Amino acid sequence: MRDNHRFRMADGAEFVGHQGDSFEMRVSMPSDDQGFFGRQCPECSLVFRMDARQYEALPDDLILWCVYCGHHAEHSEFVTEHQRNRAVQAVSDFGRQLVSHELRKMFSRLPRGSRSGGLSFSYESQSFFPRPLPGIDEEQLVRIRTCPGCHINYAVFSEHRYCPGCGPLPATSVAFDALQADTARLDALEALPSDAKALLREQGVFARGWVDTVKSVVGVVEYLASSLFRTAVPHADSLLNGKGAIFQRLDPMADLIIDAGFSDLRTVLGPQAWQRLLETWAARHVFTHNDGIVDEKYLARVPGSSARIGQRLVPTEDMCRQALTDAKALCETLIDVLR
C-alpha cells in the first residue's frame, strides 16, 4: 500500500510522501473572500495580509518585509498564529497515525501472545478519524493597498512604512497615507453615537485628537520635503549644513528651495493658503512647546488672532480639516516643484 493511502488526513491536509526518516506534508491555508491571507511579523508580532495568488507567484527564496517595523527575513518565518495552529493539528494527527503504524508493524513481528520475563505483550490498533482542521479567523482587510514599486497588493491594520515585497515605501506614499489616516480618525470620531461622543468630549479625547492632527500634518510635510529635497538636489547636504530642522519652518524651507534653483512654494500655493499654513505651524509650535498657551511669537505669526498672551489655544475639528486640506496641497506642490 502506498504511504499516501496509509494515512487518513483531514480536508486541507495531504501526506506527500517520505524519504528515509524525512516526511513531507502539505497543509492548505485558506484565503479570505478577497483572496488575501495573513502574514505575522516574527519581530513585532503584528499581522498584515497579502494577495494569495500574487504570493504564490513570488520566488521561493523570497525575503519578506514587515510592513510596520521593517523586519525582513525568509518568508516562511511570517506564519500567523492561526496558520501555525492549523499546521500543528495536521502534524499531530499524522504523528498519531505514524506511531500507531510503527507499533502495529513492530508487534506483527512478535509471536502472538509473546512472553518475555513473565510479561505478555499485545497490541490492538483502532481506526483513526482525523479532526477537521481549524479555520483561519483573522482580522479582515479594510482596503487594499498597492505598492507603487513592485505592485504587490496588501492590507495593513496600523500605520506602516514598508511594502512586504520590496521594503521601504516612497516618501510620497507614506505622506499621503498619513494624511488619509488623520482624516479617517476625524471621520471615525464624528461617526460615534451621541452619548459616546459626549463622554469622550468631556474627557478631552476630541481635543487631544485635534491637537495630534495639527502636530501630525507638520511632521508629514517635514518628512516629505526633506526626502524630496535630498533626492532632487545633488548638493543637498552642503545646503542643509548648519540649518537644523529647517523643514519644520515654512518660510525658511521655501527660501531654501528657491536657493536650490526651484520655484517659490508661496507663489505656487497662493498667499491665502500659505498664511493658513503659517497659522497651523504656529499652532503646532504652542501645542508642542507651550502646552497650547499663546505667546508673543504665536501672535506675530497669526496677526489676525483674537487670542491674548497667556490664553490657551483651543483646537477645533474645522481647524484640523482645513489643516489637512492645506497640508495635502502643500505636499502636492512640493512634488511638482521638486520633481
Side-chain angles (χ1 to χ4, degrees):
M1 181 182 295
R2 288 181 12 177
D3 283 336
N4 56 348
H5 290 159
R6 182 183 302 158
F7 301 103
R8 291 180 174 177
M9 308 301 294
D11 288 343
E14 178 186 3
F15 174 69
V16 178
H18 76 91
Q19 185 173 5
D21 294 331
S22 177
F23 295 86
E24 182 179 354
M25 292 179 58
R26 197 175 290 125
V27 182
S28 67
M29 297 298 166
S31 303
D32 61 24
D33 293 341
Q34 286 77 32
F36 282 66
F37 79 116
R39 299 281 76 188
Q40 185 170 13
C41 176
E43 181 69 21
C44 69
S45 300
L46 295 179
V47 174
F48 55 98
R49 300 182 71 77
M50 295 182 67
D51 185 305
R53 285 174 38 177
Q54 288 182 338
Y55 191 87
E56 285 295 323
L58 294 173
D60 291 338
D61 59 352
L62 169 69
I63 297 298
L64 204 61
W65 290 70
C66 172
V67 297
Y68 308 108
C69 73
H71 174 77
H72 45 289
E74 207 278 328
H75 68 96
S76 62
E77 294 188 21
F78 287 76
V79 177
T80 70
E81 182 180 356
H82 286 221
Q83 292 166 351
R84 186 176 293 107
N85 292 340
R86 182 177 172 90
V88 166
Q89 180 170 306
V91 171
S92 174
D93 285 350
F94 169 73
R96 290 173 61 187
Q97 294 180 80
L98 181 61
V99 170
S100 177
H101 169 70
E102 292 301 317
L103 286 172
R104 185 167 59 248
K105 187 166 62 174
M106 181 182 69
F107 277 94
S108 69
R109 298 184 184 130
L110 297 175
R112 182 174 292 275
S114 175
R115 293 178 180 272
S116 177
L119 297 176
S120 176
F121 298 94
S122 63
Y123 175 75
E124 182 179 351
S125 63
Q126 297 180 345
S127 297
F128 178 83
F129 298 96
R131 300 162 291 172
L133 296 182
I136 306 294
D137 185 20
E138 296 169 344
E139 190 168 4
Q140 300 300 301
L141 61 85
V142 177
R143 71 182 175 95
I144 297 172
R145 289 169 164 84
T146 301
C147 173
C150 67
H151 307 294
I152 284 179
N153 295 326
Y154 62 99
V156 301
F157 306 101
S158 183
E159 189 174 34
H160 75 295
R161 293 289 184 271
Y162 304 87
C163 162
C166 63
L169 289 168
T172 51
S173 297
V174 173
F176 288 114
D177 198 69
L179 294 176
Q180 187 174 41
D182 275 309
T183 301
R185 179 172 58 177
L186 294 178
D187 292 341
L189 286 173
E190 188 58 32
L192 290 172
S194 298
D195 54 347
K197 288 167 66 175
L199 177 62
L200 293 176
R201 279 202 180 95
E202 188 275 332
Q203 294 178 337
V205 173
F206 275 74
R208 174 50 51 192
W210 294 333
V211 168
D212 289 344
T213 297
V214 171
K215 293 179 180 179
S216 175
V217 297
V218 176
V220 167
V221 170
E222 179 187 12
Y223 169 73
L224 179 62
S226 175
S227 177
L228 292 175
F229 186 83
R230 293 176 186 277
T231 300
V233 181
H235 55 295
D237 288 341
S238 62
L239 288 176
L240 294 172
N241 186 35
K243 290 186 168 58
I246 191 170
F247 296 106
Q248 283 186 5
R249 308 190 302 275
L250 287 177
D251 281 321
M253 177 182 73
D255 292 337
L256 172 71
I257 290 173
I258 292 173
D259 291 342
F262 298 94
S263 300
D264 189 341
L265 296 173
R266 292 163 289 210
T267 302
V268 178
L269 271 174
Q272 291 184 335
W274 191 257
Q275 180 58 37
R276 288 197 303 268
L277 286 164
L278 290 172
E279 294 175 5
T280 297
W281 262 240
R284 177 262 179 195
H285 182 84
V286 296
F287 287 141
T288 302
H289 302 289
N290 206 26
D291 192 32
I293 303 301
V294 173
D295 55 16
E296 291 182 359
K297 185 179 292 187
Y298 175 81
L299 292 180
R301 294 176 177 173
V302 190
S305 174
S306 60
R308 297 180 179 180
I309 294 175
Q311 290 182 345
R312 196 165 189 271
L313 192 64
V314 179
T316 65
E317 181 182 354
D318 288 343
M319 170 186 176
C320 292
R321 291 193 183 275
Q322 185 63 63
L324 286 166
T325 298
D326 291 335
K328 182 180 179 182
L330 178 54
C331 287
E332 291 169 342
T333 301
L334 281 164
I335 293 170
D336 290 338
V337 167
L338 293 173
R339 63 175 44 171

